[in-house]
Amino acid sequence: MSQSEKIYGFNTPQRLFVGYTLAVLVDLTVLNLFDEYWGFVNIESFTISLAAAILLQLLLKLSIGLEHKLADYFKTKPGTAPKIYRGITTYIILVGSKFIMLEAINIMFGDKVQFTGPWNGVVAFFAVVFAILVAEIIVSKIYFALDDTPKEA
């Protein structure tokens, strides 16, 4: 191999940086598309939407991490009751965390980020978060589909 050939590998911190950067850019894109095309989402500026995307990404990762931690705990317990508790806590975290996110955005940005419409904007906010999650899944699927490492038989 000559000196001019580079090997492009990523260590863990690099993978995390690229992954989170991409996730924030996906969130930013979704937020701005909703701002531009749906009257129930209003964001004052691009800078505010970038800050909101970073906040949403942080809060999404925290809530998903908490849900996984509790799910792992309940998976170690035998019987039916832990399965029921796992389902209940998963629902509470995944739905309840969205209300916390909405309030965090309200506290951080006030009138600069507004979700309006049915149920005081809750429907619009849930639509945005759902679209963000779907967009992240699509980007992730594309990323892994582009893997060029040989598959073992």
Side-chain angles (χ1 to χ4, degrees), residues 9-20:
F10 290 106
N11 62 32
T12 300
Q14 289 172 319
R15 278 192 303 274
L16 289 172
F17 173 77
V18 169
Y20 285 119

Side-chain angles (χ1 to χ4, degrees), residues 19-55:
Y20 285 119
T21 300
L22 184 58
V24 167
L25 291 175
V26 167
D27 296 1
L28 177 64
T29 302
V30 170
L31 277 172
N32 281 303
L33 286 171
F34 272 95
D35 176 43
E36 186 170 348
Y37 293 108
W38 200 27
F40 292 150
V41 178
N42 299 296
I43 303 172
E44 186 176 281
S45 69
F46 180 82
T47 304
I48 296 295
S49 65
L50 176 59
I54 292 168
L55 178 62

Side-chain angles (χ1 to χ4, degrees), residues 45-77:
S45 69
F46 180 82
T47 304
I48 296 295
S49 65
L50 176 59
I54 292 168
L55 178 62
L56 280 174
Q57 189 56 224
L58 174 69
L59 294 174
L60 279 169
K61 293 305 178 204
L62 286 173
S63 65
I64 290 169
L66 177 62
E67 187 275 326
H68 285 161
K69 192 169 197 157
L70 276 171
D72 290 343
Y73 170 76
F74 286 122
K75 283 179 189 176
T76 64
K77 304 296 180 193

